[in-house]
Amino acid sequence: MNVTIVCDVLGAPNNGTTIATLNLIRHLTDKGHQVNVVTSDTAADTNANNYVVPSLWLGRLADSILKKNGVSLAKADKCVLTDAIRDADVVHIQVPFLLGAAGTKIAKEMNKPVTASFHCQAENVTSHLGMMNFPPANHLTYKVFYRNVFRYIDKIHYPTRFIREVFEREVGPTNGEVISNGVNDSFFHIRPTEVPGEKFTILCTGRYSREKAQDSLLEAVARSAHRENIRVVLAGNGPRREHLEKLAKKLNVDCTLAFFSREELTGQIASADLYVHTALIEIEAISCMEAIAGGLVPVICDSERSATRFFALDRNNLYRKNDAEELARKIDFWYEHPLLKREYSEKYARIRAEFSQAACMDRMEQMLLDTIGEHERRVLS
């Protein structure tokens, strides 16, 4: 199978879309498929056949906003896209931006089957414009995604049932499959490590951005009855790093902010006592899945715009969004009930197998093969 993957945003592996894209590329190449990747000159090393397009310049103000948020968009170079798509058996679009839209149009003109992953919520766009909580802006964003890309797609990959339902409420029924992006096998082999005298450690993984809402964790720890014996690790990077550092200092919370490699992150999970997931907006929280796979019990923000809340076993694993007081009570509960925490960790073991990245990538591979087969049957009929 010759696959062309088109991805507007593909740089350092510090966000879910990039990580999911790299995992898919590696899986397909390991299986012996020919993979071509079209992306900008900020692309990570994909070990595939890269077709590089220039970065998109939107003007000084827009570029400063994108740079602040760690985003670099790709310019839709039609010549490069045509070269990359010409011999493809199937084209897969990762993000419904300009490069993805142009790739979709060219693939359809060349009568190629096209699939696409749904990796971008409307709020991921509108949050950069200060309109994350403005429903008309989110509605319009989904309509644009559909008009430019998804209405032409033969099969849509949805990482969660949640985001499929959100999108189909906006645009109507679609032809798609729900397939998790999965968790790397290394997270399933973590063994807890206890350090004598170490504080109770809370891990929170995610990009430092407004929609990830790490502020609520810092404010909750400041309210905790056990704050003097609690340490917070915010694993990630992003534009709000300085803000979070200043807030932790102001609240006098013992907090470490750092970006960790996969190997380092498994070590952080092994030494942590509790995982708190603060994100308000999320299609699929791979970071929460990694923590659960590693044996941690999660406390999750109960946001209606996040799929992560469905990982909660009961209310002990949830707190109301923007409610630092309730989160503080949940933290104190788990601090004071270590035996119950161990029981919940064992309960979570029953769902960990669903996160297997190898199994999920096998399903993605089969989706691509099925789409090629269905396209060939339509052509012959």
Side-chain angles (χ1 to χ4, degrees):
M1 177 170 61
N2 189 326
V3 184
T4 294
I5 296 176
V6 181
C7 191
D8 290 69
V9 181
L10 186 65
N14 59 6
N15 63 83
T17 300
T18 294
I19 292 170
T21 305
L22 294 176
N23 288 339
L24 178 60
I25 292 167
R26 288 165 186 154
H27 177 84
L28 293 174
T29 54
D30 288 347
K31 287 295 192 74
H33 301 293
Q34 170 68 41
V35 181
N36 308 306
V37 181
V38 187
T39 188
S40 73
D41 54 9
T42 59
D45 182 10
T46 63
N47 292 323
N49 187 20
N50 285 353
Y51 287 80
V52 179
V53 298
S55 294
L56 182 66
W57 191 76
L58 297 173
R60 186 173 299 175
L61 177 60
D63 274 21
S64 66
I65 294 173
L66 291 172
K67 185 176 180 181
K68 181 180 178 182
N69 286 277
V71 175
S72 177
L73 298 179
K75 186 176 180 180
D77 189 312
K78 295 182 180 180
C79 291
V80 174
L81 282 164
T82 299
D83 287 345
I85 292 171
R86 182 176 291 110
D87 297 323
D89 297 312
V90 62
V91 177
H92 185 72
I93 309 299
Q94 282 290 84
V95 188
F97 297 158
L98 292 180
L99 186 66
T104 301
K105 182 179 179 182
I106 291 170
K108 283 299 177 182
E109 289 173 350
M110 298 173 73
N111 197 27
K112 303 286 186 179
V114 187
T115 60
S117 287
F118 205 103
H119 286 308
C120 185
Q121 274 177 273
E123 290 89 345
N124 294 136
V125 175
T126 58
S127 65
H128 297 315
L129 306 175
M131 293 190 289
M132 180 175 71
N133 297 314
F134 185 54
N138 295 322
H139 174 73
L140 177 61
T141 301
Y142 282 129
K143 289 293 187 182
V144 171
F145 287 172
Y146 181 75
R147 185 175 67 244
N148 291 346
V149 174
F150 290 109
R151 66 172 168 160
Y152 302 109
I153 300 303
D154 294 297
K155 191 161 291 186
I156 301 173
H157 158 230
Y158 294 100
T160 58
R161 186 169 300 281
F162 159 79
I163 194 58
R164 179 174 190 166
E165 292 173 353
V166 167
F167 189 53
E168 290 186 341
R169 278 200 301 269
E170 298 288 345
V171 304
T174 63
N175 184 23
E177 290 190 29
V178 177
I179 305 172
S180 170
N181 286 305
V183 171
N184 188 274
D185 288 346
S186 61
F187 290 94
F188 291 90
H189 305 294
I190 296 173
R191 295 292 178 267
T193 58
E194 294 186 11
V195 181
E198 182 68 72
K199 289 183 176 182
F200 184 90
T201 300
I202 299 174
L203 176 65
C204 177
T205 306
R207 190 165 174 273
Y208 305 152
S209 58
R210 191 174 302 277
E211 67 267 25
K212 300 302 182 184
Q214 291 96 339
D215 314 54
S216 58
L217 174 56
L218 297 177
E219 292 166 0
V221 171
R223 290 168 166 80
S224 169
H226 306 284
R227 61 173 294 169
E228 297 302 322
N229 199 36
I230 292 178
R231 171 175 172 260
V232 175
V233 176
L234 298 182
N237 206 348
R240 283 170 64 86
R241 183 188 187 102
E242 185 178 351
H243 164 77
L244 293 170
E245 288 174 337
K246 289 181 178 178
L247 182 60
K249 185 176 181 180
K250 175 184 176 182
L251 297 173
N252 195 27
V253 172
D254 184 354
C255 180
T256 299
L257 292 90
F259 177 77
F260 299 102
S261 67
R262 181 190 295 163
E263 292 74 19
E264 292 169 335
L265 184 58
T266 58
Q268 293 295 321
I269 291 173
S271 61
D273 298 285
L274 188 68
Y275 180 81
V276 174
H277 199 77
T278 56
L280 300 173
I281 298 164
E282 206 136 47
I283 290 176
E284 183 181 40
I286 296 296
S287 58
C288 186
M289 294 161 63
E290 289 170 345
I292 292 172
L296 291 180
V297 172
V299 178
I300 301 163
C301 176
D302 191 10
S303 170
E304 71 282 0
R305 291 186 286 182
S306 171
T308 320
R309 69 187 190 277
F310 296 113
F311 288 137
L313 296 181
D314 56 41
R315 286 303 308 182
N316 288 324
N317 300 116
L318 290 170
Y319 72 94
R320 289 185 299 273
K321 68 177 182 180
N322 302 321
D323 192 337
E325 196 66 47
E326 186 185 22
L327 177 54
R329 290 196 298 271
K330 296 297 170 74
I331 290 171
D332 289 345
F333 174 83
W334 290 114
Y335 183 99
E336 295 163 3
H337 296 85
L339 294 180
L340 184 61
K341 184 158 64 72
R342 187 177 304 169
E343 289 179 18
Y344 269 66
S345 179
E346 292 171 356
K347 290 179 182 179
Y348 270 107
R350 301 168 192 166
I351 66 171
R352 287 172 195 152
E354 300 174 13
F355 302 161
S356 170
Q357 189 175 94
C360 294
M361 291 301 100
D362 281 343
R363 291 187 62 198
M364 285 292 296
E365 179 187 16
Q366 191 60 52
M367 184 191 79
L368 295 173
L369 290 167
D370 290 345
T371 303
I372 293 171
E374 291 166 8
H375 178 77
E376 290 175 347
R377 287 191 289 274
R378 286 197 302 272
V379 171
L380 293 173
S381 63

